Amino acid sequence: MVIKEVFPNPTVKQVVFQIKFPNLFYMERKIGDLQLKIMKEFPKSSLLFRRQVVFVDVGPEGRVEVPPHFDKEFGKKIWQFKSDKNYTMSVLTDSLDITSEFHKTYAGDDPNKFRDVIEFVLRHFFEVTSIPIINRVGLRYVDECPLPSKDNETFRSWYNSVFPIERFNVANANEMHFRTVSKRGEYYLMYAETLRKIKDEYKLILDFDGFAHDIASEKCLEVTDRLHEVISEEYEATIKEPVYEYMRQRTEVTENV
């Protein structure tokens, strides 16, 4: 089942929606039209450059940065738009992504639903570009989950983890990592667990990246809904009741947001 409860203190730290498509040489001419359509929700805009960097090892002196060869692509333009609700949208000639650093719910009973933002952006983007097929649709969640005590008993009571903790005791581990990419019906899921120290506290990082290939543009939101379901089901299969209790706690930070 998909988790429908909206938590005041969720473990999710970042959510990213992304589509990839064939390189559009006319994108620069279309950006102005897109900007006008989304300006109400994304009033802040900027133009960035992502440039290629090459480092050369020069021995004891370390490394020096050199520019790439003149006939190589030196950099990519990134048209970036920001909302007043902590959403950032980046558009390149071959991709579009929306990032949320303050996520409460995908489609639950909350006025700031990430799905609404995705629907708004896709509707206007496809009006401007008329792209028929999307090469890749992706939805990624990164969760930073608590571990009150670094021992096997606590870890086992909080999480249904894939880590072989009977062989490698959590108490003795400086870091643990697991990653797999598996097929879920007609979609794919990259699932990763990482146990590491963050600001003097050990936490379990859960990374879910659901994706699909070769999707008709009008099906993008429908596919994203399904990817969210796949991720939510996997998250629910990983956490246990103490994590739900942790997310239901109202902290001073969440109360003031």
Side-chain angles (χ1 to χ4, degrees):
M1 292 180 61
V2 175
I3 299 174
K4 296 183 179 180
E5 184 176 353
V6 179
F7 299 98
N9 187 34
T11 59
V12 63
K13 295 301 177 184
Q14 185 184 67
V15 185
V16 182
F17 165 81
Q18 184 188 63
I19 56 173
K20 292 185 177 180
F21 39 82
N23 197 33
L24 300 180
F25 299 112
Y26 62 72
M27 181 63 78
E28 189 163 3
R29 292 186 282 110
K30 297 288 186 177
I31 284 295
D33 295 334
L34 177 62
Q35 182 180 14
L36 290 176
K37 288 180 176 292
I38 66 171
M39 189 175 291
K40 183 178 179 181
E41 295 295 328
F42 290 84
K44 306 169 187 174
S45 59
S46 58
L47 174 61
L48 308 175
F49 289 89
R50 178 182 297 166
R51 71 187 183 93
Q52 190 180 40
V53 178
V54 178
F55 290 98
V56 176
D57 192 341
V58 293
E61 276 89 35
R63 299 187 306 168
V64 295
E65 179 183 339
V66 296
H69 196 266
F70 71 91
D71 62 350
K72 300 291 185 181
E73 181 182 22
F74 186 77
K76 285 188 174 183
K77 288 184 177 179
I78 305 173
W79 294 276
Q80 192 172 87
F81 305 90
K82 294 187 177 183
S83 76
D84 295 327
K85 299 178 181 178
N86 297 297
Y87 296 115
T88 300
M89 183 179 82
S90 297
V91 182
L92 286 79
T93 57
D94 60 358
S95 68
L96 177 150
D97 61 72
I98 309 169
T99 301
S100 171
E101 302 286 352
F102 180 72
H103 183 84
K104 286 293 185 181
T105 182
Y106 175 79
D109 297 328
D110 189 276
N112 296 318
K113 295 187 285 290
F114 194 43
R115 187 184 190 277
D116 289 350
V117 178
I118 296 173
E119 189 279 331
F120 172 82
V121 169
L122 289 182
R123 173 161 44 89
H124 292 303
F125 181 74
F126 290 141
E127 285 176 1
V128 170
T129 61
S130 302
I131 303 174
I133 295 292
I134 299 303
N135 297 140
R136 186 183 189 275
V137 178
L139 185 65
R140 184 180 183 185
Y141 282 75
V142 179
D143 289 80
E144 199 173 284
C145 303
L147 184 61
S149 179
K150 188 171 172 282
D151 58 74
N152 278 7
E153 183 179 357
T154 303
F155 191 73
R156 192 182 296 110
S157 66
W158 281 61
Y159 302 103
N160 181 28
S161 172
V162 297
F163 291 148
I165 61 175
E166 298 303 330
R167 181 178 177 184
F168 298 99
N169 196 305
V170 169
N172 300 325
N174 288 332
E175 185 171 311
M176 289 184 174
H177 181 71
F178 171 85
R179 181 181 183 275
T180 184
V181 179
S182 60
K183 198 167 184 182
R184 299 298 175 89
E186 55 190 313
Y187 308 117
Y188 295 86
L189 177 68
M190 186 286 294
Y191 172 81
E193 284 187 34
T194 302
L195 178 69
R196 69 167 180 260
K197 183 181 287 188
I198 299 177
K199 296 180 180 179
D200 299 323
E201 291 183 353
Y202 274 91
K203 296 192 176 183
L204 182 67
I205 310 302
L206 301 177
D207 191 341
F208 309 88
D209 187 1
F211 57 95
H213 297 294
D214 301 325
I215 303 299
S217 57
E218 65 270 17
K219 296 288 186 179
C220 274
L221 191 60
E222 178 183 326
V223 169
T224 306
D225 288 343
R226 180 55 188 143
L227 294 176
H228 168 71
E229 292 173 2
V230 170
I231 292 171
S232 182
E233 289 166 359
E234 194 62 46
Y235 178 73
E236 188 176 25
T238 305
I239 64 172
K240 294 185 177 181
E241 187 57 33
V243 183
Y244 287 102
E245 294 174 3
Y246 167 86
M247 293 193 293
R248 292 182 182 119
Q249 296 173 3
R250 291 190 173 272
T251 66
E252 183 178 349
V253 174
T254 58
E255 288 287 0
N256 292 334
V257 170

